Amino acid sequence: MSGEIPTDESSQEETATASAGSSAASEASDASADATTTEGTAGAEPFTYDGGSIAPGESANIRYGISETYLGDPVRIPVTIINGERPGPTVFLSAAAHGDELNGIEVVREVAHDWDHSKLHGTLVCLPVMNVPGFLAQERYLPIYDRDLNRSFPGRQGSTSARRMAHRIFTNFIEPCDVGVDFHTSTRGRTNMLHVRANMNDETVRRVAHAFSSNVIIGGEGPSGTLRREATEAGVPTITVEMGEAHRFQRRLIDRALTGVASVLAEFGCHRDSAVHWPGWRVVIDSDDEKTWLRADAGGIVDMKHGRGALVEDGEIICTITNPFKEEDDIVEVAAPFTGLIVGVLENPVVYPGNPLCHLVGLKHETRVALERERGTERSRSELR
């Protein structure tokens, strides 16, 4: 790894009240400011990869070969590397491990090309499209035997095509880093509110997750082969950010994610002039008892009553499933098993039995109060416009 991570502990457990949030944000900002005085004495170092090196104070746009097509032409992924003049941690931002998940692409591109990094401490490694074959085909998986690139990390030489690609990406652009943020969306036909998935048992991962400042964090190490799990196990604390749906740019979610990236860079001392952001309220889901996927018990056409981010009460009807004739005797009602927040929800209104309908996470009373207060404020502001 190429730089020291400032050791301030601003990712303490916050309460769900707005006042506690303000205090936590203030402490985080103070801690990040203090990190400027504890920087190591060594100068900034080049970022090296197989085939090149980026000196401190320089940046480069690279098309890096990770495989070949059926015609023997190179498959290249775009990589932007920005190496600051000042020493600091190396942070990677990655997107489109699934080729049709587009929101994260714009987040990574804007950070790489639209932001001012003249005072950057450390290095940014920006990987806006990792699954280039899937992106070109606008498919989730690699169109080579439908392999899932995000189940193939850290990869291996001499293995399958997906693992060879993953190996090239991982060894050159992931392992040299100190911190990572990997962007995803829901699969086609569903949508997610912006939230973080992270192994909250890892102290530094927990710090990254809190710094990203999402309202919802879902704990867990993640499936084997996913970038965030394998990177974390390799010593690069990494989170996944889920946001929106496939096949589109969703500007509000992109802007919210950019706030999260700025907050992470502030937390780890990369952008010393920025502040760590507090989202106003937060829920951390650590156990399976606090979350559930509701699935269809009947096939049919779905009438969804609530969208992503909706707060639903215990017993409230979330959706109904009917046949083409809307016969009353055949209407299936799906109710919330507890009071909670809809994190992910069906967009495609047709289901087979067993298909997922929505992802529900529980809320404690104090978190719910903070959420309702925030939304009441937003409504008041909207009425004044």
Side-chain angles (χ1 to χ4, degrees):
M1 299 182 190
S2 59
E4 292 186 3
I5 297 177
T7 56
D8 53 292
E9 278 297 330
S10 63
S11 57
Q12 58 196 355
E13 291 296 328
E14 301 95 341
T15 66
T17 63
S19 59
S22 299
S23 174
S26 176
E27 291 174 14
S29 180
D30 291 342
S32 291
D34 290 342
T36 63
T37 65
T38 61
E39 184 181 301
T41 57
E45 298 178 355
F47 181 92
T48 59
Y49 60 94
D50 183 11
S53 177
I54 312 300
E58 295 185 355
S59 62
N61 295 322
I62 304 160
R63 294 185 183 273
Y64 193 77
I66 61 170
S67 188
E68 294 180 354
T69 70
Y70 293 130
L71 297 175
D73 297 324
V75 174
R76 298 187 177 102
I77 64 169
V79 185
T80 297
I81 298 170
I82 304 153
N83 196 354
E85 294 181 351
R86 303 164 182 82
T90 300
V91 179
F92 80 81
L93 306 174
S94 59
H98 295 135
D100 59 357
E101 298 182 0
L102 307 184
N103 275 326
I105 294 175
E106 189 60 11
V107 175
V108 178
R109 288 201 318 157
E110 290 193 25
V111 172
H113 303 293
D114 295 347
W115 285 14
D116 179 5
H117 298 295
S118 59
K119 297 181 180 180
L120 176 67
H121 291 248
T123 305
L124 291 180
V125 178
C126 300
L127 301 143
V129 183
M130 289 191 293
N131 182 353
V132 165
F135 175 75
L136 293 176
Q138 277 301 280
E139 296 179 1
R140 178 179 176 85
Y141 301 123
L142 289 161
I144 308 159
Y145 306 118
D146 284 335
R147 301 278 186 177
D148 188 344
L149 183 61
N150 201 39
R151 295 296 184 274
S152 303
F153 291 104
R156 190 171 75 244
Q157 287 182 321
S159 185
T160 65
S161 54
R163 288 183 177 176
R164 291 179 189 220
M165 292 181 189
H167 176 76
R168 293 281 288 169
I169 295 169
F170 199 86
T171 56
N172 285 283
F173 303 112
I174 304 302
E175 280 188 322
C177 296
D178 300 296
V179 173
V181 181
D182 186 31
F183 291 95
H184 287 261
T185 75
S186 185
T187 189
R188 66 180 65 188
R190 300 203 299 267
T191 186
N192 286 328
M193 68 176 290
L194 187 145
H195 67 280
V196 163
R197 298 184 183 182
N199 182 358
M200 300 298 279
N201 293 323
D202 183 291
E203 181 179 350
T204 310
V205 173
R206 187 167 64 248
R207 185 177 165 199
V208 181
H210 283 184
F212 194 83
S213 74
S214 66
N215 295 115
V216 176
I217 301 172
I218 297 179
E221 61 182 357
S224 177
T226 55
L227 179 56
R228 73 173 171 95
R229 174 170 173 169
E230 303 302 335
T232 297
E233 291 183 356
V236 186
T238 299
I239 64 170
T240 291
V241 176
E242 294 279 353
M243 47 185 294
E245 57 190 292
H247 291 291
R248 66 195 69 242
F249 282 168
Q250 295 167 287
R251 191 68 242 177
R252 289 184 65 184
L253 292 172
I254 290 167
D255 288 343
R256 180 62 189 84
L258 289 168
T259 298
V261 173
S263 185
V264 169
L265 296 182
E267 166 71 12
F268 286 90
C270 297
H271 281 179
R272 304 291 173 86
D273 295 335
S274 299
V276 179
H277 183 261
W278 164 245
W281 60 271
R282 173 182 289 142
V283 57
V284 179
I285 305 299
D286 283 322
S287 75
D288 290 339
D289 294 339
E290 299 173 293
K291 62 183 178 181
T292 187
W293 271 101
L294 298 183
R295 295 182 177 273
D297 289 330
I301 300 170
V302 179
D303 180 11
M304 190 66 63
K305 309 296 185 184
H306 301 278
R308 68 168 189 251
L311 176 65
V312 294
E313 303 286 343
D314 184 4
E316 186 174 354
I317 301 303
I318 293 177
C319 67
T320 59
I321 304 172
T322 59
N323 62 30
F325 306 108
K326 283 195 169 183
E327 293 170 339
E328 290 190 11
D329 292 343
D330 292 327
I331 293 176
V332 176
E333 294 183 335
V334 180
F338 51 77
T339 297
L341 193 67
I342 295 178
V343 172
V345 68
L346 184 75
E347 290 275 282
N348 185 345
V350 294
V351 291
Y352 278 111
N355 284 168
L357 296 168
C358 75
H359 192 191
L360 187 68
V361 302
L363 294 182
K364 295 179 180 178
H365 174 71
E366 60 270 22
T367 307
R368 176 178 169 177
V369 169
L371 168 60
E372 291 175 336
R373 182 188 302 121
E374 176 189 86
R375 292 187 174 177
T377 301
E378 289 176 353
R379 283 193 295 270
S380 297
R381 287 174 178 169
S382 177
E383 290 169 359
L384 290 172
R385 291 193 186 109

